[in-house]
Amino acid sequence: DFSSHSSSFRSMSSADDSGNIDDTTTTNDSSVGGGVLDLVFGFVKTKVAYQFSKLCAADILLHTNGEGGSAEAFATATKLDPDLSLRFLRAADAVGLVTEDTTTKLFTPTALGRSIGSINEPGRGIVLLEASPEYSKAWDNFDQVLDTGAIGWQLAH
């Protein structure tokens, strides 16, 4: 059930660009707090953004219904599992890439979602490069970089 993760995702988006926590929007009720969760789960946002860009999810959603698309139509267009498509789109909603109309069950890309999830948008290329598995491998060796002074990209490749 995706709903058990919703508060974690929602608390991840509770910090502004300067890192300040807006306590009025944090729904995380753990003792750790939204700021710590935002730091620890930042990679999840990156993974969601990467897949959203890779799939051109904004374009797919807009072309399935003009304004927004259902998880089922998204699954059909992407050949993904329908249940996982719903979970993915709700994760995209939690990080601000789409909005879900709870009445119609349609997902509509936000301005941010369109900027990284549309084929011709320059933000898509940035996400596909910076969040790529190849780029991530260099950061996976960060502890070794700090210990040895080696170059992360060279260690990974």
Side-chain angles (χ1 to χ4, degrees):
D1 178 23
F2 184 77
S3 62
S4 64
H5 300 289
S6 293
S7 67
S8 294
F9 276 116
R10 299 222 187 281
S11 68
M12 288 190 304
S13 57
S14 63
D16 65 20
D17 290 337
S18 65
N20 296 320
I21 302 297
D22 179 358
D23 292 330
T24 62
T25 61
T26 301
T27 58
N28 175 31
D29 59 358
S30 74
S31 61
V32 174
V36 172
L37 289 177
D38 192 48
L39 288 172
V40 176
F41 286 109
F43 78 95
V44 175
K45 289 193 237 182
T46 302
K47 296 291 186 183
V48 171
Y50 178 77
Q51 290 301 320
F52 196 86
S53 295
K54 184 177 170 185
L55 293 167
C56 291
D59 289 343
I60 291 169
L61 290 170
L62 291 172
H63 286 105
T64 56
N65 193 27
E67 294 294 319
S70 68
E72 295 81 12
F74 184 82
T76 300
T78 57
K79 297 183 172 59
L80 297 174
D81 178 83
D83 291 333
L84 293 177
S85 292
L86 177 61
R87 293 175 68 182
F88 169 70
L89 290 171
R90 286 193 172 152
D93 179 24
V95 298
L97 301 175
V98 299
T99 58
E100 179 183 9
D101 183 320
T102 56
T103 304
T104 64
K105 303 294 186 198
L106 296 180
F107 292 86
T108 304
T110 63
L112 177 61
R114 287 188 304 276
S115 75
I116 70 165
S118 294
I119 190 83
N120 294 320
E121 291 293 328
R124 181 174 180 262
I126 293 168
V127 172
L128 290 176
L129 172 65
E130 299 294 336
S132 70
E134 294 81 12
Y135 192 82
S136 296
K137 286 179 187 176
W139 284 99
D140 287 343
N141 298 306
F142 193 53
D143 55 340
Q144 191 175 359
V145 169
L146 291 175
D147 289 342
T148 66
I151 297 172
W153 187 262
Q154 290 174 342
L155 292 170
H157 301 91

